[in-house]
Every structure is written in C-alpha cells, then in structure tokens.
Amino acid sequence: MPLWGTGSSARAAAEGSAGGGGDGARTSSGGGGGAAVIRSLLPTRRRLRLDPSAKLFFPYEPGKQVRSAVRIKNISKSHVAFKFQTTAPKSCFMRPPGGILAPGESIIATVFKFVEHPENNEKPLDQKCKVKFKIVSLKVKGPMEYVPELFDEQKDQVTVEQILRVVFLDAECQSPQMDKLKRQLAEAEAALEARKKPPEDTGPRIVGEGLVIDEWKERRERYLARQQIEGVDSV
C-alpha cells in the first residue's frame, strides 16, 4: 500500500538531483527553485516530540478494536498545528485527529485500530502490519481554532514529524511497554473527561440579558419588599 506524498519540496529535490550537476547549478542561480532544493536537503527541525517516538504499541486481540496512545508535545517557540494521517482511514482513527498546541503544551492522543485475524497460518505476534501512521505539523501565528484545511492552504510549510510503525503486544503478558501503554491510556481517558466538563464559573451569576445578581442585594430587596407590604397592612 503506498504511503503519502511528501510535498512539493521533496518533488523539487528529486527533480534537482535527477537533472545533474549543471542543471542544479543553473536552478540555484535561478532563485526560488534552487532555494527549495536546498531547504529540502537540510535536516528537518522538529516542532513536536512524540512518546513513543517511532512505534505505536497495540494489544494483540484479533477481531477487536484495540487502542494505543501517543503523547505529543510542542517543543518549539511557536504555536503548532498537528494532524494525524494513516494509510487505513477506514479501520484506524485518532482522537483527537488534530489540534493546535501552544509552546510547551502537550496532549495524549488515543489511536484506535481494528486487528485483523492472522493470514497464511502466521503466528499471531509475528504477522507484519502494513498500516502506517503519520503525524504532520504546521507552524501557526498564534491561538486559533483548529481546522484541517490549514494544512491544505499551506502545503509547502507542512513538516512530517514522524511515521509510526505498528507493534503488537501480547495482551496476556506483562511487559514494560504494556504497562506504559495502560498508564497512557488511563491518562488520555482522564484528559478526555476533563475536557467534557464545563469550565467552573467562579464569577457572579448572570441571569437574563447581562443582569448581575448579587446575593446580598437580592436579600436586601426581599427585605424591603416585606417592609412595604407590612406598612400597607398597618395602614
């Protein structure tokens, strides 16, 4: 199954290298094309740190949907948008599928995958999974609402952070990887529940169209109303 395209900069690099030395020199002297080739050859500066960094661990349970987890942290000095991609979108998805992280902010994402039954009498944990996962990033100007179209509008600025490989774990055996996975999944569930709760209202209560109700004022108004009623009765 083919992986994703690597963007216009990679294509420019391939064309520049295929053209030979002389053509490459002429392209560089031309301006923009040479700059794109040079940028593509430089090592990519990462904006995100992933944990696990290169693998996604899943419990091996054929015929079931299983979960993995990955921590994504913004290690840059700017706000960064990230997006999850996979070669099997019908059987795999990530929650959340994308978002925007402030500098130093991190999030634990949950990855869901349906595990197929083994083929050709393969041993369960020996079968190779062809599904790949990819995390891409994009530098943004500041806090904003995340929309997937951000990556379509600025394709040249998108960076491939990591391509993650699937590793199956024996669900019935304890291992450091399985213990860590359970901790991360529990943390991801707790974070999801926290996001569902409405923010605590520590300010004054607001009723109707901007009317601020003060408890002391409310009691005083009731007291004055009772005094008026008692005064009318006495008359």
Side-chain angles (χ1 to χ4, degrees):
M1 182 178 295
L3 267 177
W4 317 264
T6 55
S8 59
S9 60
R11 288 194 298 270
E15 292 171 0
S17 60
D23 293 339
R26 287 193 296 272
T27 304
S28 300
S29 62
V37 173
I38 294 173
R39 283 197 304 268
S40 67
L41 297 176
L42 292 175
T44 303
R45 186 174 181 179
R46 302 297 182 191
R47 304 182 180 112
L48 304 174
R49 179 186 298 148
L50 307 182
D51 181 25
S53 60
K55 300 176 182 178
L56 279 178
F57 296 97
F58 289 90
Y60 185 75
E61 299 180 28
K64 295 183 180 180
Q65 186 182 71
V66 295
R67 298 180 301 160
S68 183
V70 56
R71 181 186 295 276
I72 305 172
K73 182 177 182 179
N74 180 2
I75 58 174
S76 73
K77 297 181 180 180
S78 306
H79 282 71
V80 173
F82 72 91
K83 187 171 72 168
F84 168 80
Q85 295 178 343
T86 177
T87 54
K90 293 184 178 180
S91 60
C92 304
F93 65 96
M94 183 175 177
R95 186 178 65 188
I100 294 179
L101 297 175
E105 185 181 3
S106 65
I107 186 174
I108 291 187
T110 306
V111 185
F112 297 82
K113 181 186 182 335
F114 182 80
V115 180
E116 302 287 349
H117 288 278
E119 299 179 358
N120 301 324
N121 297 322
E122 288 181 321
K123 293 182 180 180
L125 296 178
D126 290 341
Q127 67 167 339
K128 295 181 180 180
C129 183
K130 298 180 181 179
V131 178
K132 298 291 190 302
F133 300 91
K134 182 169 68 173
I135 304 292
V136 297
S137 70
L138 174 67
K139 179 181 176 181
V140 294
K141 294 182 179 179
M144 63 177 63
E145 182 180 357
Y146 170 78
V147 289
E149 288 74 21
L150 286 171
F151 292 85
D152 297 330
E153 296 168 357
Q154 305 180 54
K155 291 182 179 179
D156 294 340
Q157 305 299 321
V158 174
T159 298
V160 177
E161 292 290 338
Q162 186 65 50
I163 294 177
L164 302 170
R165 184 170 62 89
V166 172
V167 176
F168 287 120
L169 300 175
D170 190 340
E172 298 180 357
C173 294
Q174 275 193 329
S175 65
Q177 293 87 353
M178 180 62 75
D179 293 340
K180 181 178 180 179
L181 174 59
K182 290 179 179 179
R183 290 195 303 268
Q184 286 189 323
L185 288 174
E187 190 174 345
E189 286 297 325
L192 177 63
E193 292 300 323
R195 289 195 296 268
K196 288 181 179 180
K197 293 181 180 180
E200 294 183 1
D201 187 6
T202 57
R205 289 186 299 126
I206 298 179
V207 179
E209 297 181 358
L211 177 61
V212 178
I213 304 277
D214 182 84
E215 187 176 355
W216 177 85
K217 183 179 178 182
E218 189 177 4
R219 288 202 304 267
R220 179 173 175 81
E221 288 176 350
R222 288 200 299 266
Y223 171 78
L224 293 177
R226 285 198 303 271
Q227 291 294 321
Q228 291 177 358
I229 293 173
E230 291 173 1
V232 172
D233 291 341
S234 63
V235 173

